[in-house]
Amino acid sequence: GWPEDKWSVLLQSVLIGKGRSAYLALSVNQCKDYKVLKHNVLQVYQMTSEYYNERFGTLRKEEKGTFLDYAYKVRRCFKRWLEAAKVQSMQDLEHIRAF
């Protein structure tokens, strides 16, 4: 229920490690912009749609792994990519340049 203009202040107060470093690397104006702050923190933790898109495209079955394990990893990575890209429908998916 907090107003959006307070989100960046609330977020930065709990950041630690890499997230805190991402925050400290931003300018004062960038730190006040929640969307910029969120993007940079997610990027540091490699949780962006670009990261998952690249990972999804490069996943390979491990030599000693089973096909079931591989299918699980592909599905999980694809799901995370869809979530990070905010895909809600097939139409959204068609508008994303994936591969």
Side-chain angles (χ1 to χ4, degrees), residues 2 11 44 47 53 71 79:
W2 292 89
L11 178 60
V44 167
M47 297 173 70
N53 183 11
K79 220 173 143 184

Side-chain angles (χ1 to χ4, degrees), residues 6-98:
K6 303 292 184 209
W7 290 0
S8 60
V9 174
L10 295 169
L11 178 60
Q12 65 87 21
S13 68
V14 295
L15 290 173
I16 58 172
K18 289 183 190 180
R20 185 82 175 153
S21 296
Y23 168 76
L24 293 173
L26 298 173
S27 71
V28 174
N29 287 336
Q30 289 174 320
C31 289
K32 293 178 183 177
D33 186 337
Y34 174 75
K35 290 178 183 176
V36 171
L37 177 57
K38 179 182 173 183
H39 175 77
N40 284 351
V41 169
L42 291 176
Q43 196 166 21
V44 167
Y45 286 106
Q46 297 181 332
M47 297 173 70
T48 62
S49 62
E50 294 86 8
Y51 169 77
Y52 288 118
N53 183 11
E54 182 180 323
R55 183 137 189 258
F56 178 75
T58 60
L59 276 174
R60 301 289 178 257
K61 180 185 163 295
E62 294 177 11
E63 191 174 316
K64 294 183 180 182
T66 67
F67 283 101
L68 188 60
D69 291 337
Y70 173 67
Y72 173 77
K73 288 177 185 177
V74 169
R75 182 175 186 267
R76 185 180 65 196
C77 192
F78 182 66
K79 220 173 143 184
R80 287 182 178 171
W81 173 67
L82 292 176
E83 290 170 5
K86 296 179 176 60
V87 172
Q88 300 292 320
S89 68
M90 283 301 292
Q91 187 176 9
D92 292 344
L93 186 58
E94 290 171 357
H95 291 292
I96 294 177
R97 187 173 153 218

